[in-house]
Amino acid sequence: MPSRPTLARRSCLENSHDHREGTPPSRPIHRSQALLEGLQHAHKCYQHAQADRPIPAADLAWLGVLLTGVLVRDISYTLYRQYGTHIARRLWIDVTRTIDPSYAAAPATILAFLALHHGETTLARYAAERALQAEPNYPFARLILATLPYGIPPAESDAELDDLVKTITEQATRTPDLAQPALPTPPNLGSHT
């Protein structure tokens, strides 16, 4: 069974071939700045959780949009090391619970991966299933659910996480579009009379 960093790298690569449907965000982000803006905003939200303050609605909404960028989602996961598992767990539970349901796939998957990383398989399963409720074909959530029966040992080393951060950053340099957010496609509401 592959290690957790290998699974995350595989997610980056799989999602690089995943041409997400959706519309571009209404707030323009330059291609080369999407990862940086996502990282800065994720830090801001972690700081709210660290101070035990709710994330303001506008910040929560913008986080949801930014996390639709695959590399922003992946780099946001790695921040748990800086803020601590308890803060990260609180943040991603809160975000998954309160974010607009159409944006729940990414934060729920971060929560699932964090829970898997720390041996909380029940929470990992619940969070991955929540991600799939929001987006039924979300590849990283499907990958997490597929690994649960194999009991991946928790906790990768700091060196492995450093390697993951490096891989994500290099991927963003090669294909900055993977850090770009994409709004979900609105459901077909049919004709109104």
Side-chain angles (χ1 to χ4, degrees):
M1 191 71 200
S3 70
R4 209 170 263 96
T6 301
L7 290 173
R9 276 189 225 94
R10 185 178 298 161
S11 170
C12 284
L13 296 174
E14 285 175 358
N15 285 312
S16 69
H17 301 293
D18 176 26
H19 300 289
R20 296 168 292 156
E21 291 184 25
T23 57
S26 60
R27 181 175 166 182
I29 301 175
H30 189 274
R31 283 173 33 137
S32 64
Q33 296 300 312
L35 184 65
L36 179 60
E37 180 160 348
L39 185 59
Q40 289 171 342
H41 199 74
H43 274 293
K44 182 178 181 180
C45 292
Y46 267 99
Q47 290 163 0
H48 280 287
Q50 190 173 40
D52 205 19
R53 293 186 316 256
I55 301 170
D59 286 341
L60 183 65
W62 188 232
L63 178 64
V65 170
L66 291 169
L67 289 173
T68 64
V70 172
L71 298 179
V72 173
R73 178 204 64 201
D74 292 351
I75 200 84
S76 295
Y77 162 76
T78 67
L79 294 178
Y80 87 85
R81 186 172 51 168
Q82 180 177 342
Y83 291 93
T85 304
H86 178 72
I87 300 299
R89 190 177 189 276
R90 182 179 345 144
L91 170 68
W92 297 116
I93 286 173
D94 187 47
V95 171
T96 299
R97 191 185 72 235
T98 59
I99 200 159
D100 181 295
S102 60
Y103 290 93
T109 302
I110 293 171
L111 176 59
F113 199 53
L114 182 71
L116 180 65
H117 171 83
H118 290 89
E120 297 180 75
T121 56
T122 301
L123 179 58
R125 177 176 306 283
Y126 170 79
E129 287 172 353
R130 175 65 186 95
L132 293 174
Q133 286 175 350
E135 199 170 318
N137 294 315
Y138 203 73
F140 198 24
R142 288 190 174 284
L143 183 63
I144 290 168
L145 283 176
T147 64
L148 285 173
Y150 300 101
I152 294 177
E156 67 258 359
S157 70
D158 283 347
E160 289 173 318
L161 277 175
D162 289 340
D163 186 44
L164 178 58
V165 170
K166 182 180 174 188
T167 300
I168 293 167
T169 305
E170 289 170 354
Q171 183 77 17
T173 302
R174 285 191 306 276
T175 51
D177 287 344
L178 289 178
Q180 282 289 104
L183 298 180
T185 304
N188 183 357
L189 301 177
S191 61
H192 295 286
T193 56

